[in-house]
Amino acid sequence: GNSVTQMEGPVTLSEEAFLTINCTYTATGYPSLFWYVQYPGEGLQLLLKATKADDKGSNKGFEATYRKETTSFHLEKGSVQVSDSAVYFCALTRYNQGGKLIFGQGTELSVKP
Amino acid sequence: DVKVTQSSRYLVKRTGEKVFLECVQDMDHENMFWYRQDPGLGLRLIYFSYDVKMKEKGDIPEGYSVSREKKERFSLILESASTNQTSMYLCASSLKWGGRRTEAFFGQGTRLTVV
C-alpha cells in the first residue's frame, strides 16, 4: 500500500543553520507530494507541494524536489529561524483517491537563538 | 481567505458521553475529511465524504460515525466516548479530484480529552 516515512525527530538546530528533513514514500503510479507545517497549538498549513517528477516546490525559503528515482521528497532550508520551530509533515495523495492524504509521522523542529 | 472552522478548540468529556465535533468550510469544497493526530503516529484518516450524505470509512473508523447533511458541514460523532479517544482531531476539505493540483485545507484542530 501507499506510505510515507519521515526522519525521526526532534531536530534541534541553531538559528541560521541548514535544515534537511528526509521523506521517502511508497506508492504506485505518480502521487502528488506535500509538506505541511503545524505551528504550536494550530492546525496544519500547506508549506509546499509538487505534482510530478522533478518538480520543485518552494515557499518561505523552504524547498523540496520530487525525486521519482529515489522516491524521495526531502525538505530543505538554507538558514532556519526561531520562527520555523514547528512540526513538519510529509504527505502524498494519489490522483484517483479523491484528495485523501497519507501522512508521515511528523518531525518536530526546534530552532534555538 | 479560505476557511475551515472547527467548533471547539478544547473539549473535556466523560467516558460514555456522546460527543459531536463540528466542522464548517466556506470554500464550496466537495471533499471533507476527519483525521486524528497522535504523537509518533502522524495523522490517521477516520472518515471522509465526497458529497452530501455520502461517507466512506478511513483507516480507523471504529468507535466513530459522521454526518454530512449540507455541503459545507461535516460532523464527527463519538457514539460513546472512551479514554483511548483522547486526541487531537483535525478536519480538512479539498476540491473534488479533477487533476493533480488540489490540496487539503485544515481547521485549527479540536483537542478532546475523555475522562
Side-chain angles (χ1 to χ4, degrees):
Chain A
N2 301 326
S3 65
V4 176
T5 302
Q6 290 180 235
M7 65 184 284
E8 299 228 356
V11 174
T12 303
L13 295 174
S14 297
E15 207 165 21
E16 299 184 2
F18 184 86
L19 168 70
T20 299
I21 300 178
N22 290 337
C23 171
T24 57
Y25 68 89
T26 301
T28 56
Y30 300 91
S32 292
L33 302 173
F34 304 86
W35 277 101
Y36 280 84
V37 59
Q38 184 179 36
Y39 297 104
E42 297 185 13
L44 272 68
Q45 303 174 25
L46 179 67
L47 182 59
L48 53 83
K49 65 179 181 181
T51 58
K52 62 182 187 297
D54 300 322
D55 266 2
K56 177 186 282 188
S58 61
N59 186 27
K60 299 181 181 179
F62 291 89
E63 294 183 340
T65 301
Y66 188 146
R67 301 282 188 203
K68 187 164 175 62
E69 63 277 11
T70 54
T71 62
S72 65
F73 192 55
H74 304 321
L75 182 68
E76 296 182 336
K77 187 175 185 183
S79 176
V80 294
Q81 306 300 313
V82 172
S83 58
D84 293 327
S85 298
V87 181
Y88 293 82
F89 291 93
C90 186
L92 69 80
T93 187
R94 291 285 315 282
Y95 74 92
N96 64 346
Q97 292 187 346
K100 283 190 293 179
L101 289 161
I102 296 169
F103 286 90
Q105 72 273 35
T107 302
E108 182 180 359
L109 171 65
S110 177
V111 181
K112 306 296 185 187
Chain B
D1 207 9
V2 297
K3 277 274 197 206
V4 179
T5 304
Q6 295 181 227
S7 53
S8 304
R9 293 293 298 269
Y10 301 94
L11 276 178
V12 180
K13 296 292 181 180
R14 296 194 179 277
T15 301
E17 276 193 76
K18 190 168 186 176
V19 181
F20 294 85
L21 303 183
E22 307 287 347
C23 175
V24 177
Q25 51 95 3
D26 65 359
M27 296 167 282
D28 202 33
H29 284 170
E30 293 86 0
N31 300 337
M32 295 190 76
F33 308 87
W34 276 106
Y35 290 89
R36 171 177 170 160
Q37 182 182 6
D38 299 289
L41 297 176
L43 278 74
R44 294 177 291 168
L45 182 64
I46 305 171
Y47 266 98
F48 60 100
S49 170
Y50 291 145
D51 203 348
V52 175
K53 296 192 186 294
M54 176 275 173
K55 60 186 178 184
E56 287 195 24
K57 294 180 180 179
D59 300 317
I60 52 164
E62 295 78 19
Y64 304 94
S65 62
V66 290
S67 172
R68 192 162 181 205
E69 297 295 320
K70 294 185 177 182
K71 188 176 185 179
E72 67 270 19
R73 185 179 297 270
F74 192 36
S75 303
L76 180 69
I77 304 157
L78 285 67
E79 297 290 344
S80 177
S82 63
T83 54
N84 63 13
Q85 293 178 309
T86 292
S87 187
M88 170 74 91
Y89 291 88
L90 290 161
C91 175
S93 71
S94 68
L95 286 168
K96 190 172 185 179
W97 196 259
R100 296 176 180 276
R101 298 189 182 277
T102 60
E103 64 258 20
F105 295 86
F106 283 81
Q108 76 277 27
T110 297
R111 185 165 294 282
L112 172 68
T113 302
V114 182
V115 298

